[in-house]
Structure formats: structure tokens, C-alpha cells
Amino acid sequence: MEFATHPATNQLIPSVKQAIVDNSNRVYGTYKDLKIPQTAPVQWTTPADEKGEPQHRLLNAQALYTQHCLMCHGVNGAGDGPQAHILNPKPRDFRLGIVKYTSTEVGQKASTDDLQNVIKNGIAGTGMPAFKGLGNHEIAQIVDYVKYLALRGDTERVVSIEAAVDFSEAQASKGNRQDLLEEANRFIEEDMPPIYDEESERLFDIWKKADSPSQIVEPEGLPPAPTESSLAEPSILSIENGRRLYLSKKGQCASCHGETGKGDGEQTTQFHKRPDGSNYEEPGLHDAWGHVVKPRDLTYGVFHGGRRPIDIYRRIYAGVKGTPMPAYGTSGLSEAEIWDLVNYLLYLAGDFPEISQETFSH
């Protein structure tokens, strides 16, 4: 087995494509000879080796990943393993560096704890199982390898996209190819190595930042009970205000999840645009990987990111990363309003059976 090149790399002229591969191997090694800079956000073993340098744990981690993860997530972590075609939703492609369900702030990567939680507890309602039989040390090693695949793939992707501005096959077809090849050779020799190193270090720092306590979404107060007064609108109950927000233009939850929470809102039947401005061929919402995503049927009672109140609070506050689910914590909803929404979503999911529809009738 060997790592395959990223689709973005395959759009480049041959010499630049080969340079991308060479630099990726220089920084991250090959499948049979893994390496990673010491500044990377993975754990290192002690004592040091005979050269006085610490050793990463990726070799053992690769073996664990191969045993437990490769069949779905694939060699590259591209979500294209042998079993991927039978799964819906599809296994995560790690190469964008995006994890959907996190505890971190808007725009931040997943924390180490987030990744450990996903591996240990799985993702309810999907093909991602809970690996509760693995020890904490084994889970930690798999997390390191997932980060490795994300860093390797994301670095290659970003550098390839940057190189494609001048050195894609599409660009080569527009002008003098010989002049382009000469310019490409200068780029390969002078610019690409430092660009690759700088991009790697930039991504290392972003992943490290996600483990900072300051980047964890932690509400300041405790939520009210659903039948207590709303902290945002004291004249009505928390669950009543949650329903109002759910149906309002401010919340706009019903446009995707539907008025009754069945995941059948109007956005699911409309055609939407890709990031490049072109239209998707299929109607409905799409995620960052180009897959159609159905908004959660809230009445089913299964939440991919966990159904604890704090889990749902974080989904509303920071959104679901890589999907159209927005981050309401940065778009106008207060903490008190988010807690009201949490109470109403749990009601839709079947919690609080003692609360009748008459509560909302007025």
C-alpha cells in the first residue's frame, strides 16, 4: 500500500505534481517510512533514540488504524475504504482537516478530546462504531494517526491549490507551454520547499490551538428547566421561547429541519450553489465534501454529536463544521436563547413527555 496523490495535485502539470509528491514525502514520509516534524501536534515517546531525538508513535498507530479504521476511511483517510460505498452518511474524509462534531469554538479544529470521544463512543445513527474495547493508549495513538492523515492531506491540498493558479494543466493549455515549464522549474526549486514547510507549520499551530481551554465552548450559566421561565424572555416558559425561536426568522431552524422537526424543510428541495458558484446537480443541502446531507430528523431522538444538553448547545452555538448548519453563537442568539432552543429540541426528540401541546397553544 502507498499514499495516493490528492485530486487537487492531479490537476497540475507533471513536473509540479511530482514536486508536490516529493515535498509531501520529505515532510511526512511514505506509507512504509512515516515521518513527521517534531513541531507537529502528536505525542512523542521518551526516552529519546540513540541520536537523542524523541520518536513519534505513528508506526504503532498505523497498525491500529489499519486494523480498525482503514476498511471505511481508506489508506489516505479519504473516506474511500472498501466498505465506504455501502455507508450513508459516508465515512469522514480527513484530508480537509474538518471534523463535524466538536466542542471547540467556531472556525477551530477538533480538540484531541473530541477525536478521542468519537473513537471511543462512535457517532450515533451512522456507521461509525464505538471502540469501547480499545484502551485509552490505543485510542490516543489512533487519534495521532488521524491527525497525521489530516495534516498530510490538508498540506498537500492547500499547496496544490496554490500551485494550480499558475501550473495547472488548464493553465498550460492557454499559453506557451515551454515558458510555463521554465517558470515551473524555478517555482519547484526556489519556492515550493519553504511553502510546504510554512503550510505544515501553520496547520500544526491551528491543531494545537484547538487543545487550548480557551477554545472550548463552555456556557457561563446553567440551563433552566423547560417549564421554568426563559432567561431570555421571562414572561414565557423556556420551552415556549425555544419553539418561537425555532420557527422564527431569527432562528430559521424550520427552513431546514421542518416545522415539525422531521428534517423536511424547504431548503431540502431547493438547488444550492457550490463554493465555486456553480449549481449542484442534486437538490438539497451539501457538505464540504460535496455529499448531500439531510437535516436531522429531530423527532427520531438520535443526535450524531451526542444528546446531552451541552452537546446540543455546542451544535447550535458553533454549528456543525463542514455542513450548512450555521453557528448561531456568532450570529445573534444569546446563551439564554440557545438554552431555550436546546429544551425545545429535546422535547421534539421525545424528552419531557409530561409537557403537552397545550403548553404552546397560546
Side-chain angles (χ1 to χ4, degrees):
M1 290 188 290
E2 188 52 89
F3 294 124
T5 52
H6 193 280
T9 308
N10 294 331
Q11 306 302 312
L12 300 170
I13 61 175
S15 61
V16 178
K17 175 181 175 179
Q18 185 59 51
I20 293 282
V21 173
D22 292 343
N23 276 274
S24 186
N25 291 344
R26 174 178 63 82
V27 176
Y28 294 104
T30 64
Y31 187 84
K32 296 179 181 179
D33 184 20
L34 301 174
K35 67 170 69 170
I36 195 166
Q38 290 186 24
T39 51
V42 300
Q43 295 187 42
W44 297 79
T45 59
T46 54
D49 67 3
E50 64 275 8
K51 296 181 181 179
E53 297 178 352
Q55 295 291 293
H56 61 67
R57 306 182 303 171
L58 293 179
L59 192 60
N60 289 338
Q62 185 182 62
L64 288 166
Y65 177 91
T66 300
Q67 180 180 356
H68 299 290
C69 315
L70 185 146
M71 290 296 289
C72 294
H73 292 284
V75 174
N76 282 60
D80 59 354
Q83 293 183 346
H85 69 285
I86 64 172
L87 298 174
N88 186 18
K90 296 298 182 184
R92 183 68 52 248
D93 179 350
F94 303 128
R95 298 172 303 169
L96 280 182
I98 298 174
V99 175
K100 286 184 175 181
Y101 309 108
T102 75
S103 62
T104 52
E105 288 281 353
V106 180
Q108 295 300 316
K109 300 292 188 184
S111 70
T112 299
D113 286 346
D114 289 332
L115 293 171
Q116 290 177 345
N117 178 64
V118 167
I119 295 169
K120 187 170 185 176
N121 298 311
I123 300 178
T126 77
M128 177 63 192
F131 290 96
K132 293 185 179 293
L134 293 178
N136 290 337
H137 65 293
E138 294 172 310
I139 291 174
Q141 289 182 62
I142 293 175
V143 166
D144 277 353
Y145 197 70
V146 168
K147 286 185 181 181
Y148 168 81
L149 292 174
L151 290 163
R152 181 189 181 93
D154 207 8
T155 304
E156 179 186 346
R157 179 185 67 87
V158 172
V159 176
S160 292
I161 290 172
E162 181 176 340
V165 173
D166 296 312
F167 305 115
S168 67
E169 285 289 357
Q171 286 296 111
S173 66
K174 296 178 181 178
N176 186 308
R177 191 176 183 93
Q178 185 58 41
D179 288 346
L180 183 69
L181 291 176
E182 292 176 3
E183 184 182 351
N185 287 336
R186 288 192 295 271
F187 174 75
I188 290 167
E189 293 176 7
E190 299 173 9
D191 298 330
M192 186 175 290
I195 288 174
Y196 223 94
D197 292 339
E198 289 168 9
E199 184 59 31
S200 297
E201 292 296 334
R202 185 185 70 84
L203 291 171
F204 295 167
D205 289 341
I206 292 174
W207 278 95
K208 289 175 185 177
K209 186 178 179 182
D211 280 331
S212 169
S214 65
Q215 298 305 312
I216 305 301
V217 174
E218 292 288 2
E220 295 180 1
L222 297 174
T227 53
E228 291 180 350
S229 294
S230 164
L231 298 178
E233 295 287 343
S235 62
I236 58 176
L237 303 180
S238 171
I239 199 168
E240 288 183 277
N241 194 48
R243 183 174 187 271
R244 287 188 182 185
L245 289 165
Y246 180 91
L247 297 172
S248 71
K249 290 184 177 180
K250 186 176 184 180
Q252 295 187 333
C253 307
S255 66
C256 293
H257 293 283
E259 290 193 2
T260 60
K262 289 287 187 179
D264 56 357
E266 61 187 22
Q267 296 288 338
T268 63
T269 60
Q270 297 178 355
F271 283 89
H272 297 271
K273 291 186 179 297
R274 293 187 177 90
D276 64 6
S278 62
N279 287 326
Y280 287 106
E281 290 81 7
E282 298 178 75
L285 299 162
H286 291 70
D287 62 20
W289 298 270
H291 302 141
V292 175
V293 288
K294 190 178 186 302
R296 179 68 42 242
D297 179 346
L298 300 167
T299 68
Y300 190 57
V302 175
F303 297 87
H304 288 348
R307 74 185 324 275
R308 298 178 306 166
I310 185 60
D311 296 326
I312 301 172
Y313 180 98
R314 286 168 171 162
R315 297 296 80 74
I316 298 171
Y317 180 93
V320 178
K321 292 163 183 174
T323 80
M325 173 65 191
Y328 285 100
T330 59
S331 61
L333 288 190
S334 67
E335 178 180 317
E337 289 173 320
I338 293 176
W339 278 129
D340 291 343
L341 262 176
V342 170
N343 278 332
Y344 184 63
L345 297 184
L346 287 172
Y347 165 79
L348 289 176
D351 290 16
F352 321 129
E354 70 280 5
I355 298 175
S356 68
Q357 279 290 331
E358 295 177 357
T359 302
F360 310 106
S361 61
H362 63 282

